[in-house]
């Protein structure tokens, strides 16, 4: 499967019509939003190339999945409409330094967090904000409680914030105890996610640990800790049953860890570069991964089978799954629709020929076709040969 891109990365009418059929959305370092139709086996560039607006985060704006939020490193937030197939809004979220490390929506208001630690709620009347600490690597929203978000980063411990009361965090994690040399363990929270229905939070660190916190308990240290390999873990995502977590590291290794027993379940193979983004399907046993090797991969979390592998030409930062499930039916219907749309577009782009252009050559006796000339020459040669042969016999 290869990318299909118009000039300058702009979408045409066919791509606009097919934007609703994409199953995976991927943000690239080149600033391009890519849509991938796994059933129809096609990938499309949906925005223009702009490296200054590298996409660092991606999220749904509404539960109906009609708009995609794109967070750029320059602080710009774009809204891509899956119905119209174009960017409908663009807003520069001023304040703070560094790229955006998280996007969320609360009560129709945009919520952003920068690397410098500025957490803001963008409302029409005012802009509520709070400093959550520098070196933020990730901000995540609780799907069950949209008013709660979690932040964490390098030397910035995990914190949970109530967007209605941004003065103080409602939970602040405590660093683990010193190591066996009695040395302080450095803090480096790379990613986190709320575990549905439990109130717990699972995090991954740049020191290869996976930890589970329970804000409802009096213990502020992790209630569970696992270690996977020895390389920094860069991303995580909960599986559809929320009993396991998929993690990826800078070595390109992806594993599934059991959150109930705290052990390694499976390893997913095929990656060749650092993992930048992971996202599990909400209901299906599928996980999408992307990173520096420019490939989007879809693995089955139950059978470990690599079901799809798509080369997307750019280094990839983030990935977003749709919640749709009936891919097989969409593939059969979508392939016919896209083919018909492409044929109509080809016919519409062809110029109409009205009159035949007049020949500039002078009128004269029509020349015989080349085939007739060859036949005449062959007949002459045969006559000459027969004459020579008869003359030879007569002599």
């Amino acid at each position: 499967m290869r990318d299909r891109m118009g000039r300058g990365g702009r979408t045409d009418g066919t791509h606009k019509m097919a934007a609703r059929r994409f199953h995976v959305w991927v943000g690239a370092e080149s600033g391009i939003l890519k849509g991938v139709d796994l059933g129809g086996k096609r990938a499309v560039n949906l925005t223009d190339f702009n490296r200054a607006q590298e996409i660092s985060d991606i999220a749904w704006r509404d539960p109906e999945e009609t708009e995609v939020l794109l967070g750029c490193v320059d602080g710009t937030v774009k809204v891509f409409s899956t119905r119209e197939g174009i960017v409908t809004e663009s807003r520069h979220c001023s304040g703070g330094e560094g790229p955006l490390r998280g996007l969320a929506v609360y009560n129709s208001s945009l919520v952003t967090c920068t690397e410098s630690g500025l957490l803001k709620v963008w409302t029409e009347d005012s802009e509520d904000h709070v400093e959550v600490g520098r070196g933020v690597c990730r901000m995540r929203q609780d799907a069950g409680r949209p008013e709660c978000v979690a932040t964490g980063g390098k030397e910035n411990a995990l914190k949970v914030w109530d967007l209605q009361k941004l003065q103080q965090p409602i939970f602040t994690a405590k660093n683990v105890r010193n190591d066996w040399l009695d040395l302080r363990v450095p803090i480096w929270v790379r990613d986190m996610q709320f575990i549905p229905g439990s109130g717990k939070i699972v995090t991954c660190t740049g020191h290869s640990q996976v930890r589970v916190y329970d804000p409802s308990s009096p213990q502020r240290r992790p209630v569970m800790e696992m270690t996977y390999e020895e390389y920094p873990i860069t991303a995580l995502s909960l599986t559809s049953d929320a009993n396991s977590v998929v993690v990826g590291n800078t070595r390109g290794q992806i594993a599934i860890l059991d959150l109930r027993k705290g052990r390694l379940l499976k390893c997913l193979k095929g990656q060749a570069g650092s993992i930048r983004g992971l996202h599990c399907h909400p209901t299906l046993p599928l996980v999408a991964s992307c990173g520096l090797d420019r490939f989007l991969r879809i693995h089955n979390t139950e059978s470990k089978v690599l079901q799809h592998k798509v080369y997307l030409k750019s280094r990839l930062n983030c990935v977003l799954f749709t919640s749709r499930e009936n891919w097989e039916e969409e593939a059969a219907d979508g392939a016919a629709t896209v083919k018909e749309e492409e044929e109509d577009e080809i016919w519409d782009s062809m110029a109409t020929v009205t009159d035949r252009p007049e020949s500039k050559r002078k009128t004269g006796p029509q020349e015989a076709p080349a085939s007739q000339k060859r036949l005449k020459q062959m007949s002459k040669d045969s006559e000459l040969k027969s004459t020579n042969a008869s003359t030879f016999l007569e002599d």
Side-chain angles (χ1 to χ4, degrees):
M1 195 190 314
R2 296 285 184 178
D3 264 352
R4 295 183 182 179
M5 182 178 67
R7 273 182 203 277
R10 293 185 296 271
T11 58
D12 54 17
T14 304
H15 297 162
K16 291 179 183 180
M17 293 292 293
R20 289 168 291 179
R21 303 184 184 276
F22 295 137
H23 303 101
V24 186
W25 307 79
V26 188
E29 274 190 2
S30 57
I32 299 175
L33 173 66
K34 298 171 181 284
V36 181
D37 179 6
L38 299 176
K41 295 184 178 180
R42 45 197 306 269
V44 178
N45 287 355
L46 300 171
T47 58
D48 292 330
F49 174 89
N50 188 349
R51 192 169 290 277
Q53 293 187 337
E54 171 187 342
I55 301 175
S56 59
D57 196 15
I58 186 172
W60 292 113
R61 187 179 186 181
D62 56 339
E64 293 78 19
E65 299 181 356
T66 60
E67 292 179 322
V68 182
L69 291 174
L70 309 176
C72 305
V73 294
D74 64 349
T76 303
V77 177
K78 298 179 182 179
V79 179
F80 182 87
S81 173
T82 60
R83 292 177 176 174
E84 301 179 23
I86 57 174
V87 175
T88 56
E89 299 178 37
S90 181
R91 178 175 186 174
H92 183 71
C93 298
S94 59
E97 299 175 358
L100 292 175
R101 294 304 187 188
L103 293 173
V105 177
Y106 175 63
N107 287 342
S108 301
S109 299
L110 178 65
V111 182
T112 62
C113 185
T114 62
E115 187 179 31
S116 62
L118 182 63
L119 174 63
K120 261 191 178 184
V121 181
W122 301 84
T123 58
E124 296 181 359
D125 301 333
S126 62
E127 299 172 1
D128 296 334
H129 66 277
V130 67
E131 293 289 343
V132 300
R134 301 189 66 85
V136 174
C137 293
R138 192 69 168 141
M139 180 200 77
R140 290 265 200 175
Q141 186 178 28
D142 187 353
R145 298 177 299 164
E147 70 276 5
C148 293
V149 296
T151 61
K154 196 164 188 178
E155 293 305 327
N156 190 340
L158 172 70
K159 301 183 184 70
V160 180
W161 303 84
D162 188 346
L163 298 178
Q164 300 172 342
K165 307 171 186 176
L166 282 177
Q167 290 77 18
Q168 295 292 331
I170 59 177
F171 172 77
T172 302
K174 189 176 182 179
N175 195 13
V176 296
R177 292 182 175 86
N178 294 348
D179 61 12
W180 64 281
L181 292 174
D182 199 24
L183 298 176
R184 176 184 175 274
V185 178
I187 299 173
W188 192 1
V189 181
R190 294 294 299 263
D191 201 354
M192 78 285 294
Q193 192 169 352
F194 289 88
I195 301 177
S198 67
K200 298 179 181 179
I201 306 169
V202 56
T203 69
C204 63
T205 73
H207 303 290
S208 67
Q209 295 109 355
V210 176
R211 295 167 177 160
V212 178
Y213 294 85
D214 188 1
S216 62
S217 70
Q219 181 178 350
R220 292 193 296 144
R221 288 193 171 100
V223 296
M224 178 183 291
E225 181 173 345
M226 298 171 279
T227 301
Y228 174 63
E229 294 295 337
E230 55 184 7
Y231 305 99
I233 299 177
T234 53
L236 64 79
S237 181
L238 287 170
T239 56
S240 56
D241 57 6
N243 292 326
S244 306
V245 62
V246 184
V247 297
N249 61 22
T250 57
R251 188 69 181 270
Q253 299 168 322
I254 298 180
I256 303 176
L257 306 177
D258 191 348
L259 293 177
R260 296 168 296 181
K261 298 182 179 180
R263 61 185 180 90
L264 174 66
L265 290 178
K266 304 168 187 174
C267 292
L268 306 179
K269 298 183 179 180
Q271 298 73 230
S274 175
I275 304 300
R276 291 283 185 87
L278 287 171
H279 193 208
C280 292
H281 193 277
T283 55
L284 300 176
L286 299 174
V287 59
S289 62
C290 66
L292 300 186
D293 64 352
R294 296 174 169 85
F295 278 95
L296 167 71
R297 293 178 176 85
I298 309 296
H299 283 88
N300 189 302
T301 56
E302 294 179 351
S303 62
K304 303 191 298 182
V305 175
L306 177 61
Q307 295 189 350
H308 300 278
K309 180 180 177 181
V310 190
Y311 180 66
L312 296 179
K313 299 182 182 178
S314 304
R315 304 204 322 173
L316 309 173
N317 287 338
C318 45
V319 61
L320 182 66
F321 242 131
T322 181
S323 61
R324 300 198 311 273
E325 299 179 2
N326 53 340
W327 291 2
E328 290 77 9
E329 299 176 4
E330 292 178 359
D333 181 38
T337 305
V338 170
K339 184 177 180 182
E340 183 179 352
E341 291 170 355
E342 289 178 349
E343 290 177 353
D344 292 342
E345 185 182 352
I346 292 173
W347 283 110
D348 293 340
S349 62
M350 294 176 65
T352 304
V353 180
T354 53
D355 297 327
R356 204 171 169 182
E358 297 181 357
S359 177
K360 295 183 179 180
R361 298 179 62 181
K362 295 182 179 180
T363 58
Q366 254 186 340
E367 294 183 1
S371 58
Q372 294 183 8
K373 289 183 179 181
R374 286 196 296 272
L375 288 174
K376 287 183 180 180
Q377 186 65 34
M378 290 171 64
S379 63
K380 287 181 181 180
D381 294 343
S382 61
E383 289 177 3
L384 180 60
K385 289 180 181 179
S386 63
T387 304
N388 293 338
S390 59
T391 304
F392 175 77
L393 291 174
E394 286 177 358
D395 290 339

